[in-house]
Amino acid sequence: MDADKLARMANQIAAFFATDPDPASASAAVASHLRRFWDPRMRRAIFAWLDETGGPGLSPLALQALQDHREQLLSTTPRNPAPATA
Amino acid sequence: MYSVKEPDLGTPPSQAQASVSLQVDGIPVTVPEGSSVMRAAALAGAKIPKLCATDSLEAFGSCRLCLVEIEGRRGTPASCTTTVAPGMQVRTQSPNLARLRRNVMELYISDHPLDCLTCPANGNCELQEVAGVVGLREVRYGMKGENHLDAPKDESNPYFSFDPSKCIVCSRCVRACEEVQGTFALTIQGRGFDSQVSAGGSDFMASECVSCGACVQACPTATLMEKSLIEHGQPDRVVDTTCAYCGVGCSFRAEVKGNQVVRMVPDKKGKANDGHSCVKGRFAWGYASHPDRVQKPMIRAKITDPWTEVSWEQAFAHAASEIRRIQAQYGRESVGGITSSRCTNEETWLVQKLVRAGFGNNNVDTCARVCHSPTGYGLKTTLGESAGTQDFESVEHADVVMVIGANPVEAHPVFASRLLHRLRQGAQLIVVDPRATELVNRPHAAAAHHLALRPGTNVALANALAHVIVTEGLVDEAFVAERCEAPAFERWRAFAAQPKNSPEAMEEVTGVPAAEVRAAARLYASARNGAIYYGLGVTEHSQGSTMVIAIANLAMATGNLGRKGVGVNPLRGQNNVQGSCDMGSFPHELPGYRHISDASVRASFEREWKVSLDPEPGLRIPNMFDAALHGSFKAIYVQGEDIAQSDPDLQHVHAALSAMECVIVHDLFLNETAKFAHIVLPGSSFLEKDGTFTNAERRINRVRKVMPPMTGLADWEVTLGLARALGLDWAYEHPSQIMDEIARLMPTFQGMSYDKLDRLHSVQWPCNEDAPEGTPTMHIQDFVRGKGLFVTTEYVPTEERTSSRFPLLLTTGRTLTQYNVGAQTRRTENQRWHGEDRLEIHPHDAEQRGVLEGQAVIVRSRKGETRLRAHLTERVQPGIVYTTFHHPESGANIITTDYSDWATNCPEYKVTAVQVSAGVQPLGAK
């Protein structure tokens, strides 16, 4: 995935939630958006880029959200067992 | 000529609540106060002859055929212009009335050709029928007097002919143009014997006529007649169905002879259109039988190879084996699908089910990604439901209408006619648009305020409107206190009140004079009923979702939600954008806008589908392209969307498609995307299948099969075949069974069925135990999410900026006669009106660049360049240029960028920095 594009998208998301006066709440909102709308490979890709480069160009809130919620963002929910067929 | 099979009560219904009882020919009847005697008689079963009256038009009283006798009253009043009164005794037949009617008919027929046997209206002509009813046996005046029998025909319009020799000057066409369409293109020219219908110009094509066909429908003779009916003759059956063009979703009666459509007549029972239509829906259906239709499934190993025709079974088997091969090699998440907003709900349901249950992931998206995905996000966040709040009829109760980033006269013409009707009644209009759209300054309805903002500054303007509302005491405090979350509102109020959001501070950003913004805000906020309608000029921005939220904030703050005449109303682009979104076409949501991470919702689908579903969101369309170039996305099934033409930054899109190992295109035509395809599955038109469409007002309308699929399979059967080849045990035999499954799994569709749709004609969701016949207006008592949520909407400028190299801003839109990428309308006579896309440029900008009217110009952006012919107009402001995008050769999306909405990745089509310079032939993208 194009890391520059992912970083730009993360910055856009952070810019929307930046009006939240509570920094922790803003960080959580950014992370929640990424968790709910980004395919896991996109989340993995931005962390791979972040780990490799330190995230140049990321806005402070975007960077904070990635750092604060790394585990949540890199986790995936396991599938339910396949239901029995009739 | 109106369809003979639909009853016509002569005059429109009265909306009065009180009723009046009377007797017609001794038969008691009770009707609403204000009804005409003619309508009461029709409801009592008495047939009064008429020619100038029809129930889609106000009474006119000119033909003098509908005379009646009323006990206690003198003379023989016209029943169409006489209103009922309590206890009235009406006689519709008497020797005196018969004599008078025969006399009138004698006069009409003395100046009418007696060519009934060869007339195309033969068997379906009101004049012919009335002549029979009144017992006309002779014309004492003879046929040799002065007459109009040699008046020349006007055949200029490709869809209908005008034969003035058959005209009885009843004015139905003129009145339809005024009352129904609102264009005022027709008039009666001359006086007395010289009176004749005129389109104003030298002929219909040279006039202001928009070819909506309302005049043709209203004509009681063969004067205005569809050429298709002249060619094919009278139909032998009628099928009720729904238009497949824009999100208005007009109901039609397809009049058919054998399997040949003779004409499409808008259905009076259609609640979206009330018997009206536009040039596309009524006339531009010829694409369905165009020779360009793909007839056979085709496959090829490489996109440079020639196509090989195969059987359906071979195509399904090959497609399934390729998908499984790719998943085995690159992983389960390496494949996906795109549902179509042109296809039915049932077909869309099957494609997302195929991806989720068959491919085993959530890589499903839809063309709403590139148009109204921000609507889903914004309205879900603030109000709790991803849909507009009203029905179309609601606009007839609005006192102030704010249209933001939409041009309904061009893109949603049947809704525009309703809006114009309301404006003529005195409602006020605010237009927010960079361009002076067709709504801004019309002879009969002009905007009180045109806020001509710079492209990309919607949110700045909305914040300025909000600033006025909160600082000038215009908030509906009682509504907000009762209906909205208080802490969020207080945060928003404080945000909006900040000086940086004032109209004066934002004037430099938006370019809109502060006084104009203040006046518009006061007008909207002070209205008894204020309604907002918006289009892609809101959503297709990097802050598209923010702007939808801002609009919802404005409506909540002013109490303009939860009743008729108000609301937040997205004007959807395609016929089934709402439906495709409802049906779970987004990669993060199961049908009904429920997040894929919701274990209980997922479990309900797992029980029904007997598979385990992926709990993680999948890729959106632009993400699919990025993943394809990254190597992790290798196959796509595209139903009814031309992503290689319609998506932005096309060089990027084409590279992504080229990087895939299996592109399956399921479409009517070999579109631009098919150039990158390995498998083509022929599609079926809306005339060839059963199903439902959901329009912009959440109205579910039936689509009914008019003729067998040209290729043997309807689209839902194609997806079914592919699913079975992939090993899925699907056993649908009819789309109604798919709807039954939808009703089992979607709470908002819980009460939906084909039986109910047949009975009620259409239903607006939610349709469930609480609202068994649907929900015309949402959020009446509470918002779907409970309390309405205000969200602050900081203005963040787009990263797409003008510069010395790219000093102009390009924005895009649609024109009336073409539709989206033009795949359908370019294959019809609509090409006569709009054969190419042009670049609108202000004369000042043109002069600076030495550009002349009609000259080919080069349009360069940071992404590419194309060539278009220039049209100099002050409709666009200096610094802004505009084009439509209906023709692939104009390459509008070669130059658009990959910037997108922060929340949904909806592309920012509406803002591209460009330079324009005088160019040379050839036109098109480079």
Side-chain angles (χ1 to χ4, degrees):
Chain A
M1 304 295 280
D2 182 340
D4 288 344
K5 192 179 283 187
L6 294 174
R8 189 172 80 207
M9 290 162 58
N11 283 345
Q12 283 184 286
I13 294 163
F16 179 78
F17 291 108
T19 54
D20 191 328
D22 177 358
S25 169
S27 171
V30 173
S32 173
H33 189 91
L34 295 174
R35 185 68 182 78
R36 289 173 67 82
F37 291 92
W38 282 24
D39 175 280
R41 83 191 79 177
M42 295 165 67
R43 306 195 310 253
R44 288 195 297 270
I46 198 167
F47 276 104
W49 168 77
L50 179 64
D51 292 345
E52 187 180 322
T53 66
L58 275 181
S59 70
L61 178 56
L63 181 60
Q64 193 66 46
L66 292 174
Q67 290 171 340
D68 289 351
H69 302 279
R70 181 186 185 96
E71 193 175 335
Q72 173 202 352
L73 289 169
L74 284 174
S75 70
T76 53
T77 308
R79 289 173 184 253
N80 293 330
T85 53
Chain B
M1 168 58 61
Y2 204 75
S3 166
V4 291
K5 296 181 180 67
E6 274 203 299
D8 186 340
L9 303 179
T11 61
S14 164
Q15 302 302 325
Q17 297 296 314
S19 58
V20 169
S21 294
L22 66 158
Q23 288 197 346
V24 179
D25 295 336
I27 299 169
V29 60
T30 300
V31 295
E33 192 175 45
S35 299
S36 70
V37 169
M38 174 180 278
R39 188 176 179 90
L43 290 169
K47 199 167 185 180
I48 300 176
K50 61 182 177 55
L51 283 174
C52 73
T54 182
D55 58 13
S56 61
L57 301 173
E58 295 299 326
F60 195 53
S62 80
C63 76
R64 313 309 297 172
L65 273 164
C66 67
L67 311 176
V68 292
E69 294 170 347
I70 299 173
E71 192 71 34
R73 295 196 187 185
R74 294 171 56 191
T76 51
S79 62
C80 63
T81 52
T82 304
T83 52
V84 294
M88 186 181 260
Q89 306 264 348
V90 178
R91 271 192 306 280
T92 68
Q93 307 295 336
S94 75
N96 182 44
L97 290 171
R99 181 180 55 80
L100 290 171
R101 289 170 183 160
R102 267 197 304 273
N103 289 348
V104 172
M105 278 306 291
E106 266 189 281
L107 286 166
Y108 277 123
I109 297 303
S110 69
D111 188 9
H112 191 85
L114 299 179
D115 61 352
C116 288
L117 289 180
T118 55
C119 177
N122 188 17
N124 192 5
C125 172
E126 291 184 44
L127 188 69
Q128 187 182 48
E129 182 187 346
V130 172
V133 166
V134 304
L136 185 69
R137 297 291 175 262
E138 60 175 346
V139 178
R140 289 169 291 168
Y141 312 106
M143 302 299 291
K144 294 181 180 171
E146 194 173 359
N147 59 52
H148 301 84
L149 301 183
D150 295 326
K153 283 186 187 177
D154 176 354
E155 300 277 13
S156 61
N157 190 290
Y159 294 121
F160 60 85
S161 73
F162 172 57
D163 183 354
S165 74
K166 297 180 188 293
C167 181
I168 59 170
V169 201
C170 64
S171 294
R172 272 163 64 162
C173 55
V174 176
R175 290 147 56 210
C177 191
E178 294 175 5
E179 295 176 28
V180 178
Q181 167 60 23
T183 295
F184 295 76
L186 302 182
T187 189
I188 300 294
Q189 184 176 289
R191 298 173 68 96
F193 181 80
D194 293 328
S195 302
Q196 58 180 347
V197 172
S198 169
S202 56
D203 57 36
F204 267 83
M205 280 298 274
S207 75
E208 293 179 0
C209 167
V210 293
S211 296
C212 69
C215 57
V216 180
Q217 185 171 336
C219 181
T221 71
T223 307
L224 285 157
M225 176 67 79
E226 298 92 342
K227 289 183 175 175
S228 57
L229 189 138
I230 294 172
E231 179 184 356
H232 299 296
Q234 294 293 330
D236 54 31
R237 63 190 174 95
V238 173
V239 181
D240 288 348
T241 191
T242 303
C243 180
Y245 279 116
C246 79
V248 175
C250 295
S251 296
F252 274 90
R253 290 156 55 83
E255 297 191 351
V256 188
K257 174 182 276 186
N259 288 327
Q260 172 67 52
V261 175
V262 171
R263 63 179 172 184
M264 298 288 283
V265 181
D267 191 341
K268 288 194 291 188
K269 298 188 296 297
K271 291 182 179 168
N273 57 317
D274 275 348
H276 190 36
S277 73
C278 75
V279 61
K280 294 188 287 287
R282 189 192 297 263
F283 294 123
W285 36 267
Y287 71 87
S289 54
H290 195 278
D292 284 354
R293 283 279 300 270
V294 184
Q295 304 273 354
K296 299 274 187 187
M298 299 187 294
I299 63 173
R300 60 185 175 184
K302 300 194 297 289
I303 62 173
T304 50
D305 290 345
W307 287 109
T308 301
E309 289 187 356
V310 295
S311 68
W312 280 111
E313 290 70 26
Q314 288 171 307
F316 293 146
H318 180 64
S321 74
E322 279 295 277
I323 289 165
R324 292 304 187 217
R325 174 188 69 78
I326 287 167
Q327 287 190 299
Q329 187 171 348
Y330 300 101
R332 181 154 56 181
E333 285 76 28
S334 62
V335 302
I338 297 179
T339 74
S340 175
S341 295
R342 282 184 277 170
C343 287
T344 63
N345 285 319
E346 293 77 3
E347 287 160 348
T348 303
W349 178 273
L350 290 192
V351 173
Q352 63 88 29
K353 180 176 176 179
L354 177 76
V355 171
R356 295 199 157 100
F359 297 177
N361 61 49
N362 290 305
N363 292 330
V364 61
D365 208 355
T366 186
C367 25
R369 177 64 52 206
V370 299
C371 63
H372 266 289
S373 50
T375 288
Y377 182 86
L379 297 186
K380 178 92 173 175
T381 300
T382 50
L383 310 181
E385 193 57 275
S386 300
T389 61
Q390 312 295 123
D391 59 6
F392 287 138
E393 192 267 345
S394 170
V395 78
E396 293 171 23
H397 304 268
D399 300 302
V400 172
V401 178
M402 180 147 51
V403 178
I404 308 175
N407 188 2
V409 173
E410 299 279 349
H412 303 87
V414 171
F415 168 73
S417 291
R418 274 189 200 266
L419 171 59
L420 292 170
H421 184 254
R422 183 61 183 157
L423 295 177
R424 291 197 301 276
Q425 291 177 328
Q428 303 235 55
L429 175 67
I430 301 164
V431 173
V432 182
D433 202 293
R435 185 168 166 266
T437 65
E438 287 70 10
L439 274 180
V440 170
N441 191 18
R442 300 174 71 83
H444 304 278
H449 303 285
H450 175 207
L451 310 183
L453 75 178
R454 292 194 185 98
T457 65
N458 283 335
V459 173
L461 183 71
N463 288 346
L465 293 167
H467 179 89
V468 177
I469 289 167
V470 302
T471 59
E472 295 192 9
L474 298 172
V475 170
D476 185 336
E477 301 285 355
F479 181 91
V480 170
E482 182 189 345
R483 301 286 305 270
C484 303
E485 287 189 16
F489 170 70
E490 291 304 333
R491 270 199 303 277
W492 176 80
R493 187 206 291 263
F495 163 79
Q498 291 174 17
K500 68 178 183 181
N501 289 320
S502 72
E504 289 72 20
M506 283 299 185
E507 181 172 331
E508 192 177 340
V509 174
T510 64
V512 183
E516 195 76 7
V517 175
R518 285 191 178 274
R522 291 167 191 150
L523 181 63
Y524 169 70
S526 306
R528 188 173 58 94
N529 285 332
I532 297 177
Y533 292 82
Y534 71 89
L536 304 185
V538 161
T539 55
E540 290 178 343
H541 288 274
S542 62
Q543 281 201 287
S545 292
T546 313
M547 184 57 184
V548 174
I549 290 168
I551 288 171
N553 288 340
L554 292 174
M556 288 190 290
T558 54
N560 279 312
L561 284 162
R563 63 181 186 276
K564 272 186 179 293
V566 298
V568 175
N569 304 279
L571 292 170
R572 304 278 183 164
Q574 302 209 60
N575 51 313
N576 201 34
V577 173
Q578 181 70 56
S580 70
C581 298
D582 300 342
M583 295 297 113
S585 296
F586 289 141
H588 66 287
E589 283 174 336
L590 286 162
Y593 305 102
R594 292 164 297 167
H595 200 270
I596 190 71
S597 64
D598 186 322
S600 63
V601 174
R602 216 167 56 245
S604 67
F605 282 82
E606 290 173 333
R607 281 193 299 273
E608 176 82 22
W609 293 350
K610 302 190 171 42
V611 293
S612 174
L613 297 177
D614 186 346
E616 292 293 329
L619 295 167
R620 300 178 281 204
I621 292 173
N623 311 145
M624 292 178 189
F625 297 145
D626 293 341
L629 289 168
H630 179 255
S632 65
F633 190 78
K634 289 290 186 181
I636 191 166
Y637 168 39
V638 187
Q639 183 180 68
E641 186 180 359
D642 194 2
I643 50 178
Q645 187 187 345
S646 64
D647 283 43
D649 189 9
L650 282 183
Q651 293 183 43
H652 178 71
V653 174
H654 294 176
L657 288 167
S658 301
M660 295 185 202
E661 294 185 11
C662 180
V663 174
I664 304 169
V665 165
H666 180 181
D667 209 288
L668 295 176
F669 303 105
L670 282 179
N671 56 19
E672 296 298 302
T673 309
K675 292 176 180 169
F676 303 91
H678 306 84
I679 300 168
V680 167
L681 303 174
S684 52
S685 79
F686 76 111
L687 296 169
E688 300 162 26
K689 55 194 178 187
D690 282 299
T692 54
F693 293 150
T694 306
N695 74 356
E697 46 172 5
R698 297 170 279 103
R699 185 180 303 283
I700 300 148
N701 274 309
R702 276 283 274 119
V703 177
R704 292 185 178 84
K705 187 158 76 174
V706 172
M707 61 183 72
M710 180 184 282
T711 61
L713 295 180
D715 289 331
W716 66 273
E717 294 172 297
V718 175
T719 306
L720 182 64
L722 183 55
R724 285 173 174 164
L726 282 161
L728 298 169
D729 182 22
W730 290 7
Y732 308 106
E733 293 176 354
H734 189 270
S736 63
Q737 296 167 322
I738 305 171
M739 179 56 81
D740 293 342
E741 180 176 308
I742 294 168
R744 286 196 296 274
L745 288 169
M746 276 177 63
T748 48
F749 274 57
Q750 178 246 325
M752 195 68 64
S753 69
Y754 276 30
D755 286 345
K756 182 172 283 186
L757 288 169
D758 287 343
R759 183 162 49 84
L760 299 179
H761 197 69
S762 67
V763 176
Q764 289 174 269
W765 68 259
C767 172
N768 48 31
E769 285 176 357
D770 294 336
E773 297 199 349
T775 309
T777 306
M778 293 194 76
H779 314 298
I780 290 177
Q781 300 295 334
D782 298 295
F783 291 107
V784 170
R785 71 181 302 281
K787 297 281 189 184
L789 181 67
F790 281 86
V791 179
T792 53
T793 53
E794 190 77 56
Y795 168 61
V796 179
T798 172
E799 293 181 47
E800 177 69 354
R801 309 281 171 83
T802 55
S803 65
S804 56
R805 282 184 64 209
F806 303 105
L808 303 172
L809 284 178
L810 170 73
T811 191
T812 59
R814 300 184 196 187
T815 193
L816 170 67
T817 51
Q818 296 282 2
Y819 179 67
N820 285 0
V821 296
Q824 293 142 290
T825 46
R826 281 187 284 107
R827 292 179 170 92
T828 70
E829 292 284 350
N830 282 24
Q831 280 288 88
R832 299 260 298 267
W833 285 280
H834 188 86
E836 64 175 343
D837 296 315
R838 290 202 172 201
L839 185 80
E840 289 189 2
I841 183 169
H842 191 277
H844 177 70
D845 290 329
E847 184 180 354
Q848 282 189 327
R849 290 162 177 78
V851 171
L852 303 174
E853 173 66 30
Q855 185 180 4
V857 295
I858 302 170
V859 187
R860 286 194 186 87
S861 75
R862 294 180 177 91
K863 286 294 181 181
E865 68 177 58
T866 190
R867 289 165 171 76
L868 294 162
R869 217 179 293 279
H871 173 51
L872 278 53
T873 174
E874 293 185 0
R875 180 168 278 185
V876 291
Q877 308 166 51
I880 297 170
V881 291
Y882 166 91
T883 188
T884 50
F885 50 86
H886 304 299
H887 295 268
E889 55 270 20
S890 50
N893 283 329
I894 293 288
I895 53 180
T896 48
T897 71
D898 67 351
Y899 292 122
S900 65
D901 173 47
W902 68 270
T904 66
N905 278 152
C906 181
E908 190 169 51
Y909 288 112
K910 300 298 183 185
V911 189
T912 306
V914 298
Q915 177 58 292
V916 174
S917 52
V920 291
Q921 299 281 10
L923 298 171
K926 184 180 176 185

